[in-house]
Amino acid sequence: MPRMRPNATSSAPRRLLTGRRIAAILVLMVLLLPALLYSLWWWQAARSVREGLETWVADQRANGAVVEHGGLTVGGFPFTLRAELEKLHLATRGADWLGAGLVAEAAPWNPTRIALAFPGEQRLSVVQPGQPPVDILAPQGGSGDVTMRMSGTLERLALHFTGLTARVAGQPVPVAALDVSAAQPDRPPAERGTAGLTVTLSADGLTLPDGMLPPTLGREVKRTELTLRVMGIPPRPEPASLSAWSRDGGTVELDRLALDWGPLGAVLSGTLALDAQLQPQAALTAEIRGAPAILDAVKPMMRPNEAAIAKTVLAMLARPTGPNGEPVVTAPVTVQDRALYVGPLRVAALPKLVW
């Protein structure tokens, strides 16, 4: 009986099937490999975030600060790096912050831009020797953003809060909105004339307590703006650091301090410094609209004959340069020996700062 030869046509589909399977596996590997590598990279980035936060907490505690929280969670896979801190408590040199939580989020491919959220109630208390305590409550939380450099240093921080209540010496002061930002250079300033820190602040809708000041100015402060630059390496708020910074020529350049308060509109700029006793000194220039209202407000703090002199001096300094020819006073404002002067006129005594 003749032997049967293998059927060549039956093995071709088998070889074709095997080739398709190998091709499918290769395609699947090509598709899955980037996802696998991205997943590994994301988990490494999340681990770095956790380790970075834990290192920061340890460093702050080593420097004497109180840093406590109810738990740290890092998540957001696959498209976000999210770090959440619960029941955050920070305290250092008279400043104490209690927050219901803090959430920081960044895109994995751009970790230097971080969005901040402060869910729940946030409270900041500031108590300095010889000064009335200040307590700021933000019941609705707030938001912000941080820009970091690739070197790991802070480039810019911006915070935004609404519906706050500031309590100064037990008196409540509602604040409709508060914006604070800070920026610092990539490297510590090597020269005296270089800014080591720039701070801006704006507050809208401040309502002062009834009876706090004479009614000529009213209770509503429409807007307050502040922009300043700390020249040199910013000092810590303690006598030794402040004294060294001051001796090395450290100053604060006040680029703008603006106040819109009832009939009063004022813009100041100039230089601030500390004297040998670490008390403030200032050489400023002020443009003041509604100067008579200021005079009425500060008259109780002046000697009897100073009010009449002040009225005469303000009339001499006023020029009709405001809207509709409104008189505007342009005058030097100085602070020295714990006293405030407008031109040659001593306006008020200032309390001693205790650091």
Side-chain angles (χ1 to χ4, degrees):
M1 183 175 182
R3 296 179 60 184
M4 297 186 64
R5 303 176 61 183
N7 190 346
T9 59
S10 64
S11 60
R14 186 176 301 171
R15 288 195 299 269
L16 182 61
L17 181 61
T18 303
R20 287 178 177 175
R21 184 176 300 172
I22 293 174
I25 292 174
L26 290 175
V27 170
L28 188 62
M29 289 178 63
V30 169
L31 293 176
L32 289 181
L33 184 59
L36 177 61
L37 292 177
Y38 175 82
S39 299
L40 293 174
W41 177 81
W42 186 96
W43 287 109
Q44 181 60 39
R47 180 181 177 183
S48 298
V49 169
R50 175 180 291 277
E51 291 176 349
L53 286 172
E54 291 173 346
T55 299
W56 180 84
V57 169
D59 290 344
Q60 300 309 305
R61 289 172 176 171
N63 291 329
V66 174
V67 183
E68 299 172 341
H69 59 82
L72 168 62
T73 303
V74 178
F77 182 81
F79 300 121
T80 303
L81 283 171
R82 181 187 302 112
E84 299 184 38
L85 285 168
E86 299 179 0
K87 298 179 181 178
L88 186 59
H89 179 207
L90 302 177
T92 177
R93 283 200 64 84
D96 192 289
W97 174 31
L98 286 171
L102 168 62
V103 180
E105 291 187 347
W109 49 88
N110 188 15
T112 59
R113 297 294 301 273
I114 304 169
L116 301 177
F118 302 89
E121 182 178 283
Q122 309 289 322
R123 182 186 298 273
L124 174 65
S125 300
V126 180
V127 179
Q128 297 294 332
Q131 304 298 319
V134 177
D135 190 71
I136 302 175
L137 176 66
Q140 304 171 13
S143 60
D145 61 83
V146 176
T147 301
M148 302 293 293
R149 297 184 177 88
M150 295 304 296
S151 60
T153 60
L154 174 70
E155 180 177 345
R156 183 179 179 274
L157 168 67
L159 303 175
H160 175 71
F161 297 92
T162 57
L164 303 93
T165 298
R167 188 171 293 273
V168 182
Q171 296 288 332
V173 180
V175 182
L178 176 67
D179 289 276
V180 182
S181 67
Q184 64 180 10
D186 188 16
R187 297 179 180 178
E191 301 177 359
R192 292 184 179 183
T194 305
L197 180 67
T198 301
V199 177
T200 62
L201 179 149
S202 64
D204 295 314
L206 283 77
T207 304
L208 301 176
D210 191 18
M212 184 176 180
L213 287 172
T216 53
L217 295 176
R219 296 180 56 194
E220 186 75 15
V221 179
K222 186 176 181 180
R223 184 172 177 83
T224 301
E225 299 177 9
L226 170 69
T227 301
L228 58 84
R229 291 172 291 134
V230 181
M231 312 306 288
I233 299 176
R236 295 184 299 274
E238 55 188 32
S241 181
L242 288 166
S243 181
W245 170 76
S246 180
R247 288 196 308 269
D248 196 40
T251 61
V252 174
E253 294 301 318
L254 182 63
D255 294 329
R256 178 179 173 84
L257 174 59
L259 187 65
D260 187 354
W261 182 4
L264 169 64
V267 179
L268 291 89
S269 60
T271 302
L272 307 173
L274 295 173
D275 63 18
Q277 286 72 45
L278 299 184
Q279 298 304 301
Q281 300 181 107
L284 310 171
T285 299
E287 293 185 0
I288 304 171
R289 170 181 52 82
I294 307 175
L295 183 58
D296 291 340
V298 301
K299 191 180 295 183
M301 297 182 287
M302 304 173 70
R303 297 187 181 95
N305 63 329
E306 288 180 337
I309 298 174
K311 185 176 181 179
T312 302
V313 171
L314 290 177
M316 293 173 59
L317 295 174
R319 297 290 184 272
T321 57
N324 302 319
E326 182 181 9
V328 176
V329 173
T330 301
V333 175
T334 57
V335 174
Q336 61 182 20
D337 300 326
R338 292 172 52 196
L340 174 65
Y341 295 84
V342 177
L345 183 65
R346 183 180 184 273
V347 174
L350 300 177
K352 182 179 180 180
L353 286 181
V354 181
W355 299 98

